[in-house]
């Protein structure tokens, strides 16, 4: 339910999530390569799975960023009434 007290300058955390995903991508790629070269296939596979998860997350983040901002009601829109109990 919207209360009408939402901050007027709220910002999306998508750009921060994108850069944290880049950081995670760098570490998972480095971990996969390092463990593969060290002869640790189990750890390399674990890092590769994390690499896949981080990549999928980055794709979703970029998709949401490209969608652009969505409508946010202004101060002139009153709070929504809660639905009646049935």
């Amino acid at each position: 339910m919207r209360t009408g007290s939402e901050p007027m300058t709220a910002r999306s955390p998508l750009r921060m999530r994108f850069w944290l995903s880049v950081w995670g991508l760098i570490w998972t790629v480095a971990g996969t390569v390092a463990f593969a070269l060290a002869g640790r296939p189990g750890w390399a596979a674990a890092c590769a799975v994390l690499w896949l998860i981080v990549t999928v997350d980055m794709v979703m983040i970029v998709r949401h960023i490209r969608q652009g901002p969505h409508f946010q009601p202004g101060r002139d829109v009153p709070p929504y009434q809660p639905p009646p109990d049935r």
Side-chain angles (χ1 to χ4, degrees):
M1 177 174 79
R2 194 172 96 70
T3 63
S5 62
E6 291 83 6
M8 295 297 292
T9 59
R11 297 179 57 124
S12 171
L14 289 175
R15 299 229 183 260
M16 178 186 66
R17 281 184 58 199
F18 173 77
W19 289 111
L20 287 172
S21 292
V22 169
W23 181 251
L25 187 69
I26 291 168
W27 277 102
T28 55
V29 169
T32 303
V33 171
F35 283 123
L37 292 176
R40 303 282 187 166
W43 285 104
C47 285
V49 168
L50 287 175
W51 182 2
L52 177 66
I53 292 169
V54 169
T55 302
V56 169
D57 187 43
M58 282 185 72
V59 168
M60 294 303 295
I61 291 168
V62 169
R63 180 175 169 262
H64 285 285
I65 289 173
R66 288 181 184 243
Q67 284 179 348
H70 300 288
F71 170 74
Q72 297 294 318
R75 289 181 179 237
D76 57 333
V77 178
Y80 299 124
Q81 294 295 323
D85 291 334
R86 292 187 181 197

